[in-house]
């Protein structure tokens, strides 16, 4: 039974990576359908392995037909019993796309489903680690978990002009349904995808170079501030500490700090975070910290998920000495 569970997980990871590779190939026009097939297959295999481990082999077979296993929808309902769970709704929407929309899928569906696909990728990585203690970054680099998305979007009139009336109405209804559901749920359902450009006077910091032509007929307006800190830097000081500790436990990182005349400490504390902030000058780096300034008062800072990922990556390198090394360096 354990061997079967391991085989299911291995095949699940293979299906997941195949879906990523297919979706991120720019020449493949079948990427939306292909990703939905492979992503759901990966989820099904991974969840069935979890059911075997937690409830026994019989949990994945029909009682009246021992030769037939339950489908992915049943597995999802058995594990995620709350039908309002954003993760469950996310998977059900992608299954709906896979099952009933196969003959109606066009490339324009990408703008509708891309946020759901990206959320499904992140959710899969977390659940794989939680249920099976498998870190997907051991199989594929972290940067490949970000989907290559086309962001062109059609208006309702453009859709009606491009497709038959039946197809256009079906597309518009599906898009509106996904958008409404996205507003009602968290990033476990959909991850908004945006593309923004910032101008810097330091060429070494730029991804590409542009030139300004004063004689151009096309006018630009430069926005001084585009970020919404409630989205980009939504973690308070204590929430950073809490999230780091949750991830240390979830990823089974053997984090410990030696204490004089006491047992070793295994939790990440506010003092540890203070060390990281001071040593790495976090408050001066906009990708990690955002200063909220009201009147003449001292700024209050909130922090980004990128900071949490950075802290975890540093802890993972040397979990038993990282804090001690920061103290010595300081």
């Amino acid at each position: 039974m354990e061997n079967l569970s391991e085989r299911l997980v291995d095949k699940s990871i293979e299906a997941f990576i195949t879906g990523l590779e297919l979706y991120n190939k720019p020449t493949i026009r079948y990427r939306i359908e292909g990703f939905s097939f492979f992503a759901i297959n990966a989820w099904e295999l991974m969840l069935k392995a979890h059911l075997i481990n937690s409830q026994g082999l019989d949990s994945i077979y029909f009682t009246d037909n021992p030769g037939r296993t339950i489908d992915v929808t049943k597995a999802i309902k058995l594990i995620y019993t709350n039908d309002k769970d954003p993760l469950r709704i996310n998977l059900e929407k992608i299954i709906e796309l896979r099952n009933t929309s196969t003959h109606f899928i066009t490339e324009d569906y990408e703008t509708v489903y891309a946020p759901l696909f990206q959320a499904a990728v992140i959710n899969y990585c977390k659940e794989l680690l939680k249920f099976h203690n498998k870190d997907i970054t051991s199989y594929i680099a972290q940067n490949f978990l970000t989907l290559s998305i086309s962001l062109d979007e059609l208006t309702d009139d453009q859709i009606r002009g491009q497709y038959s009336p039946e197809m256009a109405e079906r597309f518009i209804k599906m898009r509106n349904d996904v958008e409404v559901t996205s507003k009602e749920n968290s990033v476990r359902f959909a991850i908004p995808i945006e593309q923004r450009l910032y101008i810097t006077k330091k060429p070494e910091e730029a991804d590409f170079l542009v030139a300004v032509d004063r004689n151009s007929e096309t006018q630009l307006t430069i926005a001084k501030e585009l970020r919404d800190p409630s989205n980009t830097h939504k973690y308070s000081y204590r929430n950073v500490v809490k999230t780091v500790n949750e991830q240390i436990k979830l990823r089974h990182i053997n984090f410990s700090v030696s204490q004089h005349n006491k047992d070793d400490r295994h939790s990440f504390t506010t003092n540890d975070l203070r060390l990281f902030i001071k040593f790495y000058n976090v408050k001066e780096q906009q990708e990690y910290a955002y200063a909220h300034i009201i009147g003449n008062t001292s700024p209050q800072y909130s922090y980004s998920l990128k900071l949490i990922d950075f802290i975890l990556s540093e802890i993972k390198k040397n979990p038993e000495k990282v804090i001690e090394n920061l103290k010595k360096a300081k």
Side-chain angles (χ1 to χ4, degrees), residues 18-31:
T18 301
L20 289 178
E21 291 177 342
L22 189 151
Y23 195 91
N24 286 326
K25 285 187 176 180
T27 58
I28 295 180
R29 301 182 64 181
Y30 192 68
R31 49 198 251 150

Side-chain angles (χ1 to χ4, degrees), residues 88-322:
R88 172 171 161 174
I89 299 172
N90 169 276
L91 292 176
E92 289 172 344
K93 289 293 182 185
I94 298 177
I95 291 171
E96 180 183 337
L97 174 71
R98 184 201 66 172
N99 290 349
T100 64
S101 302
T102 303
H103 302 294
F104 299 94
I105 293 176
T106 72
E107 293 178 3
D108 297 315
Y109 272 45
E110 184 171 5
T111 59
V112 177
Y113 279 91
L116 275 69
F117 289 166
Q118 187 63 76
V121 168
I122 302 303
N123 291 339
Y124 175 87
C125 298
K126 291 181 177 179
E127 299 300 277
L128 182 69
L129 188 62
K130 175 182 174 183
F131 291 150
H132 303 290
N133 195 25
K134 298 276 189 179
D135 186 348
I136 197 65
T137 58
S138 300
Y139 301 86
I140 188 171
Q142 179 81 32
N143 57 296
F144 287 108
L145 300 177
T146 301
L147 300 178
S148 176
I149 305 298
S150 171
L151 294 178
D152 294 333
E153 187 170 2
L154 296 177
T155 65
D156 288 358
D157 290 339
Q158 288 174 319
I159 293 170
R160 292 189 176 99
Q162 185 168 327
Y163 300 108
S164 66
E166 295 81 6
M167 179 61 201
E169 293 309 313
R170 183 185 182 90
F171 181 89
I172 292 170
K173 181 180 179 181
M174 185 174 292
R175 183 201 60 193
N176 292 345
D177 179 47
V178 170
E179 288 180 352
V180 169
T181 310
S182 297
K183 292 177 181 178
E184 296 173 349
N185 287 282
S186 68
V187 292
R188 281 160 61 88
F189 173 74
I191 296 178
I193 298 169
E194 298 177 334
Q195 194 172 54
R196 294 175 174 180
L197 300 179
Y198 297 88
I199 294 178
T200 176
K201 294 182 179 180
K202 300 178 180 179
E204 66 276 8
E205 295 180 357
D207 292 324
F208 57 87
L209 303 179
V210 297
V212 177
D213 184 356
R214 296 182 182 275
N215 298 319
S216 173
E217 295 180 358
T218 303
Q219 300 297 315
L220 287 177
T221 299
I222 298 178
K224 296 296 184 182
E225 183 56 68
L226 293 176
R227 293 184 307 169
D228 181 356
S230 64
N231 291 327
T232 61
H233 296 68
K234 58 184 178 182
Y235 293 90
S236 67
Y237 195 88
R238 293 191 177 278
N239 280 338
V240 171
V241 175
K242 178 182 176 182
T243 306
V244 168
N245 277 313
E246 289 174 349
Q247 288 299 311
I248 287 173
K249 183 177 179 180
L250 185 62
R251 300 184 188 188
H252 302 284
I253 300 174
N254 189 29
F255 175 73
S256 64
V257 180
S258 297
Q259 301 184 105
H260 185 61
N261 294 329
K262 293 182 181 179
D263 293 335
D264 289 353
R265 169 170 60 83
H266 297 282
S267 61
F268 186 81
T269 67
T270 55
N271 287 332
D272 297 337
L273 177 56
R274 188 174 296 113
L275 280 172
F276 269 93
I277 289 174
K278 289 185 177 181
F279 184 80
Y280 290 104
N281 205 19
V282 165
K283 291 182 178 180
E284 301 301 319
Q285 301 185 61
Q286 292 186 355
E287 62 181 336
Y288 293 147
Y290 186 91
H292 302 264
I293 302 175
I294 302 175
N296 296 323
T297 60
S298 299
Q300 299 294 316
Y301 288 89
S302 58
Y303 302 92
S304 68
L305 179 60
K306 193 168 184 178
L307 173 63
I308 294 172
D309 290 338
F310 171 72
I311 292 172
L312 288 167
S313 68
E314 293 301 303
I315 291 175
K316 194 173 181 180
K317 291 175 184 177
N318 194 351
E320 297 180 359
K321 296 290 184 180
V322 59

Side-chain angles (χ1 to χ4, degrees), residues 1 4 48-70 74 78:
M1 188 164 61
L4 174 60
K48 284 182 177 178
H50 175 60
L51 285 171
I52 291 173
N53 292 339
S54 60
Q55 300 181 25
L57 187 61
D58 291 341
S59 63
I60 69 170
Y61 287 95
F62 285 97
T63 54
D64 57 346
N65 189 354
R68 180 172 167 233
T69 61
I70 60 175
K74 179 65 174 178
L78 287 173

